C-alpha cells in the first residue's frame, strides 16, 4: 500500500529540515496502531501539533489541545517511538513502479463491491477479477461445488495519456477481450473494509495473471494498493 497526503490540506504550519539541503526528507518507521490511538484523542481537539523529537529515543510527539471550561487549556501528549530509516535504505521505500498494465477500468461503488466480496469469501479463498476495455468487469469464484460471477457494465475506462506506453499496448487489444488475475479474497476484502467514505475516483489496473493495482483518489489523499496474483 502507498498513501500520499498533501501537507497543505492538513497542517496550518509546517516546518521541515531533512537530512540535507538537497534531500529535504526524513523516513520514519512506526507502529500504525500507536499513531491511530494518539489521533483518536484529537477528534474534538482545538489544535494538534506533531513534532519529531529525540528524548531517550526518536519519537513523534503528538500534543493535543483539548477544549476546557476554564481559561487554562488541557494538553494531552503522546510520545510515539519511531525508527529513523538511514539514507542508504531509502530506495527500499520508494513509490512502487507499475509495469505496463493490460486493462484499466473505473470501479463500481465500493460499498457494492464490498457486499459482493463479503458473500463470496464464505465460498472461496480466492477471487478472479477480470475486465476489458469496454467498461465491463466481472468478479468470479470457482470451486468444485459452485461457480459464481457478478457482472458490472458501463463502468468506463480511464483516458490515459497517449504517450504512456501502457496506453498504446492496451489500444492494440480487442475491446471485448477480458484480462484477468486471481487474488487472495481476504486481501481484497481488507482493502474494501478500510474505506470509510467513497473516493472521488476509484480505478483498477490489471496486469494479466500478475498483479491487480487499485488507485483510490480522495480530495486530499491518494491511496494505491498492489495485490499480487496467485499462482
Amino acid at each position: 500500500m502507498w498513501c500520499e497526503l498533501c501537507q497543505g490540506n492538513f497542517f496550518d504550519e509546517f516546518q521541515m529540515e531533512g537530512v540535507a539541503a538537497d534531500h529535504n526528507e526524513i523516513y520514519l518507521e512506526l507502529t500504525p496502531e500507536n499513531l491511530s490511538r494518539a489521533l483518536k484523542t484529537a477528534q474534538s481537539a482545538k489544535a494538534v501539533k506533531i513534532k519529531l523529537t529525540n528524548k531517550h529515543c526518536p519519537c513523534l510527539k503528538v500534543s493535543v489541545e483539548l477544549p476546557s471550561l476554564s481559561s487554562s487549556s488541557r494538553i494531552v501528549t503522546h510520545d510515539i517511538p519511531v525508527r529513523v530509516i538511514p539514507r542508504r535504505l531509502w530506495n527500499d521505500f520508494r513509490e512502487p513502479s507499475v509495469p505496463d498494465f493490460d486493462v484499466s477500468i473505473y470501479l463500481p461503488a465500493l460499498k457494492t463491491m464490498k457486499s459482493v466480496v463479503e458473500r463470496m469469501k464464505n465460498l472461496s479463498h480466492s477471487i478472479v477479477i477480470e475486465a476489458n476495455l469496454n467498461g465491463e468487469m466481472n468478479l468470479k469464484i470457482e470451486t468444485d461445488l459452485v461457480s459464481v460471477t457478478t457482472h458490472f457494465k458501463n463502468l468506463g475506462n480511464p483516458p490515459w495519456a497517449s504517450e504512456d506506453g501502457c496506453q498504446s499496448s492496451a489500444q492494440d487489444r480487442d475491446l471485448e477481450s477480458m484480462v484477468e488475475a486471481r487474488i487472495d479474497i481476504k486481501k481484497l476484502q481488507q482493502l474494501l473494509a478500510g474505506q470509510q467514505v467513497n473516493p472521488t475516483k476509484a480505478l483498477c489496473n490489471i496486469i494479466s495473471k500478475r498483479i491487480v493495482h487499485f488507485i483510490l483518489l480522495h480530495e486530499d489523499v491518494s491511496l494505491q494498493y498492489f495485490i499480487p496474483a496467485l499462482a
Side-chain angles (χ1 to χ4, degrees):
M1 176 183 171
W2 179 269
C3 175
E4 288 188 17
L5 311 170
C6 181
Q7 162 258 315
N9 292 333
F10 291 89
F11 299 100
D12 294 327
E13 297 179 27
F14 187 82
Q15 294 178 343
M16 173 74 189
E17 290 183 24
V19 296
D22 57 334
H23 288 89
N24 193 25
E25 296 175 280
I26 301 175
Y27 285 43
L28 302 176
E29 185 176 67
L30 54 85
T31 303
E33 289 81 2
N34 291 342
L35 181 58
S36 174
R37 201 176 295 123
L39 293 176
K40 278 181 180 177
T41 66
Q43 288 179 342
S44 59
K46 291 170 62 179
V48 179
K49 284 185 181 178
I50 302 177
K51 185 177 182 180
L52 179 61
T53 63
N54 193 0
K55 290 185 177 178
H56 305 295
C57 66
C59 285
L60 268 187
K61 182 178 181 179
V62 180
S63 299
V64 181
E65 184 181 350
L66 297 170
S68 174
L69 296 176
S70 64
S71 57
S72 59
S73 59
R74 293 188 300 148
I75 296 180
V76 178
T77 301
H78 304 266
D79 287 316
I80 302 169
V82 297
R83 183 172 78 90
V84 179
I85 306 293
R87 192 163 151 187
R88 68 179 184 276
L89 299 179
W90 283 9
N91 281 336
D92 295 341
F93 298 91
R94 297 293 183 193
E95 179 177 0
S97 59
V98 183
D100 291 354
F101 47 79
D102 298 302
V103 161
S104 181
I105 190 168
Y106 290 115
L107 290 173
L110 297 188
K111 285 183 180 178
T112 304
M113 275 191 71
K114 180 182 175 184
S115 64
V116 169
V117 172
E118 283 180 346
R119 288 180 174 87
M120 287 181 164
K121 76 175 174 56
N122 297 320
L123 301 172
S124 176
H125 297 298
S126 64
I127 185 170
V128 173
I129 298 181
E130 63 176 13
N132 62 19
L133 295 173
N134 198 34
E136 298 171 333
M137 187 180 83
N138 301 326
L139 301 178
K140 301 194 304 184
I141 58 168
E142 295 174 349
T143 69
D144 294 338
L145 300 176
V146 67
S147 176
V148 180
T149 303
T150 300
H151 304 272
F152 298 95
K153 294 185 177 181
N154 303 317
L155 297 176
N157 301 90
W160 293 97
S162 58
E163 66 267 16
D164 196 329
C166 49
Q167 168 70 2
S168 59
S169 64
Q171 278 181 333
D172 299 333
R173 182 178 292 278
D174 175 16
L175 295 182
E176 303 286 341
S177 176
M178 286 288 185
V179 173
E180 69 172 45
R182 180 184 299 276
I183 60 175
D184 186 327
I185 199 167
K186 284 186 178 178
K187 291 181 179 177
L188 179 58
Q189 186 204 10
Q190 286 174 338
L191 182 164
L192 297 170
Q195 302 309 308
Q196 301 301 319
V197 293
N198 260 341
T200 52
K201 279 187 181 178
L203 54 99
C204 168
N205 300 327
I206 302 175
I207 304 168
S208 180
K209 296 180 170 53
R210 288 181 59 195
I211 199 167
V212 182
H213 173 215
F214 295 93
I215 303 175
L216 308 180
L217 301 177
H218 300 262
E219 287 183 2
D220 45 18
V221 179
S222 69
L223 294 164
Q224 294 185 64
Y225 295 86
F226 301 83
I227 303 182
L230 301 173

